[in-house]
Amino acid sequence: MNTKKGAIITLTAGILWGFSGCCGQYIFDNFNADPMYLTSYRMFMAGVILVIIGFIKTPKAMTSIWRDKKSVARLMTFSWLGIMFNMLAYLTAIANSNSGTATILQYIGPVLVMIFSCFAAHKLPDKREVFAIIMAVLGTFILATHGDVHNMVLTPLGLTWGLLAAFALSLYTLLPVKLIDKFGPIPVTGYGMVIGGATLFIGSGSWKAPMIYDPSCIAAFAAMVILGTVITFTMYLVGVNLIGPVKASMLASIEPVSATVIMVIWLKESFQFLDFVGFMCIFVTVFLLTKKEDSEDV
């Protein structure tokens, strides 16, 4: 029963993450919003909510994290290079391409994590890992050019920010490991979002951005903060607790599928056959690497 419940919760989280990306694209397409401004508001507001949840659920961890200088330094690094970089790169990739393409490019991140892990362990990738690298590169090439080296289908900015989002995702995955083991995920992520959001807000002068009072824009932004950040994060943690991190990460990878389907149906974006081929090349890397992790845990 717990396995079925955990699977449903995790799948729902992945679908909502995909929906959140489409909400970002809706705002960019219809209201000419700046990705930097949108990221700063989204991070700070979601972070404040998570910090409040943290003080309700784990008040000791919320205060003890500030008593360790090394932990504070790691938290700051994670806030800027992990969360802030990841969310800004992802939303900027959406603004310069679309939510489906940006999401699938971001999923090259696990391949980068694997490469970094091999480098840190002073070992070469095995056959499965090499194949995952080849598929990721091939998928990116197909998405960017549709197989024609003389024709860029994606804009250079869309491709660049999509790959930066993948790199940022790898940092987001690797940087907080020790902190989460010591203090738990809610304090680390909540504070990380508040710090990163406040930094970006001040650094970008987000308070100068004209406010958009359109009800549909406000609803889309609220969905990004509540559904796409706070609720999905909490649901994913529940799923990990019920079915384990390996199965949870595999089920959550429905996110790019969700983003693409919602993008086509709701936002009327075109999605060609070669986009689907590139999509599947990258998507299969998630299963290759997750399956490997699963076999190593047995």
Side-chain angles (χ1 to χ4, degrees):
M1 182 66 181
N2 280 347
T3 301
K4 184 177 180 181
K5 181 181 177 181
I8 293 172
I9 289 172
T10 308
L11 279 170
T12 303
I15 292 169
L16 289 176
W17 268 323
F19 173 66
S20 173
C22 290
C23 287
Q25 183 179 340
Y26 174 78
I27 293 173
F28 293 135
D29 288 349
N30 292 280
F31 302 100
N32 197 31
D34 187 299
M36 196 171 292
Y37 298 160
L38 187 62
T39 303
S40 66
Y41 280 106
R42 176 193 182 187
M43 285 183 64
F44 187 78
M45 291 183 181
V48 168
I49 295 171
L50 285 174
V51 166
I52 293 171
I53 293 172
F55 272 107
I56 294 171
K57 296 189 67 175
T58 57
K60 186 177 179 180
M62 296 300 292
T63 54
S64 61
I65 193 171
W66 296 106
R67 299 192 187 108
D68 182 359
K69 290 183 179 179
K70 287 186 177 179
S71 295
V72 172
R74 284 175 179 159
L75 178 61
M76 294 297 183
T77 303
F78 172 59
S79 300
W80 295 323
L81 296 182
I83 294 185
M84 187 178 77
F85 183 25
N86 176 248
M87 288 195 173
L88 177 60
Y90 176 57
L91 285 179
T92 307
I94 290 176
N96 287 281
S97 58
N98 58 63
S99 54
T101 302
T103 304
I104 195 61
L105 284 174
Q106 183 179 234
Y107 267 74
I108 297 172
V111 178
L112 300 179
V113 172
M114 177 269 294
I115 292 172
F116 177 81
S117 299
C118 288
F119 180 79
H122 303 289
K123 72 179 187 71
L124 294 172
D126 61 24
K127 291 180 180 179
R128 186 195 298 267
E129 291 167 336
V130 170
F131 186 63
I133 294 171
I134 292 171
M135 293 299 286
V137 172
L138 178 61
T140 304
F141 173 75
I142 293 173
L143 280 175
T145 68
H146 282 184
D148 182 358
V149 293
H150 302 293
N151 177 38
M152 282 288 292
V153 178
L154 277 178
T155 65
L157 278 176
L159 178 60
T160 300
W161 280 105
L163 294 176
L164 283 173
F167 177 62
L169 180 63
S170 69
L171 294 179
Y172 178 87
T173 303
L174 294 168
L175 288 174
V177 173
K178 291 182 179 180
L179 284 173
I180 289 175
D181 287 343
K182 191 172 183 179
F183 301 103
I186 291 180
V188 175
T189 306
Y191 282 134
M193 286 188 179
V194 169
I195 294 167
T199 301
L200 194 60
F201 184 86
I202 295 169
S204 65
S206 293
W207 66 89
K208 299 175 184 176
M211 297 300 293
I212 301 171
Y213 296 101
D214 185 274
S216 63
C217 180
I218 294 172
F221 177 73
M224 291 178 68
V225 173
I226 305 299
L227 292 179
T229 309
V230 177
I231 290 178
T232 47
F233 172 74
T234 305
M235 291 177 69
Y236 182 71
L237 291 180
V238 172
V240 168
N241 185 53
L242 291 173
I243 62 177
V246 174
K247 290 181 180 177
S249 62
M250 182 177 287
L251 290 171
S253 65
I254 196 173
E255 178 188 355
V257 179
S258 166
T260 303
V261 171
I262 295 171
M263 177 189 75
V264 171
I265 295 174
W266 176 30
L267 303 178
K268 310 300 182 185
E269 272 298 332
S270 61
F271 200 71
Q272 300 179 24
F273 175 73
L274 284 173
D275 293 317
F276 177 76
V277 173
F279 176 105
M280 291 307 298
C281 287
I282 295 173
F283 194 61
V284 77
T285 65
V286 178
F287 288 93
L288 285 170
L289 298 178
T290 308
K291 188 67 177 177
K292 174 182 172 60
E293 184 181 347
D294 196 13
S295 64
E296 287 175 349
D297 290 341
V298 174

